[in-house]
Amino acid sequence: MPKHTFDAIDWVTSRITLAGKVRREERLPLTQEIGDAILAYIERARPRIATTRVFLTDTAPVHPLSRIAVKCIVRRALDRAQIRSVHRGAHVLRHSAATAMLRSGASLAGVGAVLRHRSPSVTALYAKVDIGLLSEIAQPWGGRLPC
């Protein structure tokens, strides 16, 4: 299935197929909020050209939104919000979502499922934002204490 096309959205079962890293396709739940946002974009903002790609640039020449275009959009949004960060790309969105989920009480396993991590150790990197969450993944000390 081509990525980011209308065929990737299954409105009947409320699922969306996304291609992640290494082009691994995954079917994820399509929440009401996200479905409503996509419909609003299609009805009110998407340029009216004949293509099955969902997300398009809004200036001529109109073409499918690329990974680089998303990165630039995120950078401009960070600049407008006066957010200074070492990380300036779209990955900031994933990290922000993970941080918000963890702070709202989501488990590391739950965050890993949403971010589509294959390994819990990758998701554990997000736990550094909260000492309480670090204790959830901390391993018991096997050695002798120095005192």
Side-chain angles (χ1 to χ4, degrees), residues 47 49 56-65:
I49 66 167
L56 308 171
T57 59
D58 63 352
T59 55
V62 174
H63 52 83
L65 206 57

Side-chain angles (χ1 to χ4, degrees), residues 6-125:
F6 287 108
D7 291 340
I9 303 170
D10 185 343
W11 297 105
V12 175
T13 63
S14 299
R15 313 268 309 160
I16 187 166
T17 302
L18 299 177
K21 290 182 179 180
V22 297
R23 306 210 191 299
R24 185 179 77 211
E25 285 188 356
E26 297 196 43
R27 289 178 41 95
L28 300 173
L30 182 64
T31 65
Q32 184 69 48
E33 183 180 33
I34 300 300
D36 289 346
I38 292 172
L39 284 174
Y41 164 73
I42 292 168
E43 292 171 353
R44 297 186 211 125
R46 184 181 181 276
R48 305 223 182 268
I49 66 167
T51 179
T52 60
R53 296 287 291 266
V54 177
F55 300 104
L56 308 171
T57 59
D58 63 352
T59 55
V62 174
H63 52 83
L65 206 57
S66 69
R67 187 176 55 83
I68 300 302
V70 172
K71 182 178 181 178
C72 291
I73 290 166
V74 170
R75 283 186 176 181
R76 284 195 303 266
L78 291 171
D79 289 342
R80 280 194 313 273
Q82 298 180 340
I83 296 172
R84 302 288 169 239
S85 171
V86 175
H87 304 286
R88 309 277 301 151
H91 188 75
V92 169
L93 301 178
R94 286 176 59 84
H95 194 275
S96 296
T99 301
M101 286 185 281
L102 289 169
R103 289 187 176 151
S104 296
S107 68
L108 283 172
V111 172
V114 170
L115 297 181
R116 301 183 328 271
H117 289 158
R118 286 186 174 177
S119 167
S121 63
V122 174
T123 310
L125 297 173

